[in-house]
Amino acid sequence: MTREGPLTILGLETSCDETAAAVVRRHADGSGEILSNAVFSQIREHAPYGGVVPEIAARAHIEHLDGLISRALADAHAGWDDLDAIAATAGPGLIGGVIVGLMTAKGIALARGLPLVAVNHLEGHALTARLTDAVPFPYLLLLVSGGHSQLLVVEGVGRYRRLGTTIDDAVGEAFDKVAKLMGLGFPGGPAVERTATDGDPSRFPLPRPLFGKPGCDFSFSGLKTAVRQLAEAQAPLTDRLRADIAASFQATVAEVLADRVRHAMAMADLPEGARRFVVAGGVASNRTLRARLEAVAAEQGFGFIVPPAQLCTDNGAMIAWAGAERLALGLMDGLDISPLARWPLDPTAHATRGAGVKA
Ligand code: KG4
Ligand code: ZN
């Protein structure tokens, strides 16, 4: 049964290394408003290991989630009675963390008699542009994060048509690995972007995997290997070399994404009035990539929408919003719902080939 009227939702996000809770309101006209958005980044916990350690992440979520929920409610000037539902990421992600968030949400739902909405983390990213910019369906989406690189047509809530995905590494993963091999620190994406600021993007030509090939799948592992070989050949790395390598890598990623997106725009076959292109996920906070993708959209006659950087990286507002969109359609979940490590947005999409394929 669909729900009329405003909906106020608490959303929990614990699928990777951000512990987050937020309160979001969906107004009766379908527009959204963020009432609070509390995020605790576990960077300090994972930095000594140069990457996210799942067991450490799960323990940190347990430690911080209760405090973040209190903060999110206080910041929103909301009490339990003001909530219409509780939403939590139920996958995909690091399963220990997903369990912490989903079980906490179940406990609250049971104790407070609130409906539970189990949210696909990817749907949280996919629908954020509707919270920030009220983008109508359908639209073309480039979802680029630490675990995923996909091009999808978003037809509605829960309705996705995947056009392409990576056949090996995700783009965020490539940023993280490049940062690590050049000793730039963790998390890698922002470190590469910072380092590239003063670099010469044309100094080192790098391979552009799948560039110009039919379709809109991605491949980043060959590019990452080429950067490794380049860094080894140029060692010891000076600050100048680091900047030029980072800038060359970033520019190559921008060219590859632009090419794949151009193909997807043709494949998506969207009607004239629905030529909208949305970018989401942590990598979408990169300014060079945003600028390149904006230029492609302009060239192909697509509107360009990208949420503010802090809503591209993982946060609770995107989960609360996806929960609100589902609740408005009457989509709720029972307390027997299980966390999922793997949960594709388009379960009908063909399996991709290649090692280390991500759904
Ligand atoms: O969406 P997200 O916060 O978490 C996942 O769902 O994976 O994305 C995290 C990914 C990481 O790989 C991180 O290095 C990358 O997004 N990232 C960036 C930037 N900020 C975060 N990549 C490139 N440039 C950035 N500024
Ligand atoms: Zn994410």
Side-chain angles (χ1 to χ4, degrees), residues 13 15-16 121-122 125 143 145-148 281-282 312-315 318:
E13 161 55 36
S15 68
C16 194
H121 178 86
L122 302 174
H125 282 303
L143 175 48
S145 69
H148 297 270
C312 287
T313 48
D314 289 348
N315 63 85
M318 70 185 203

Side-chain angles (χ1 to χ4, degrees), residues 4 17 22 46 51 60 81 91 111 115-116 123 134 143 149 165 167 169-170 174 210 224 233 248 257 260 300 318 347:
E4 309 289 334
D17 60 339
H46 300 287
D81 294 340
L116 172 73
E123 179 154 72
L143 175 48
S149 305
T165 187
I167 61 167
D169 292 350
L210 295 183
K224 170 200 67 193
S248 300
L257 291 182
R260 306 286 77 197
Q300 300 294 318
M318 70 185 203

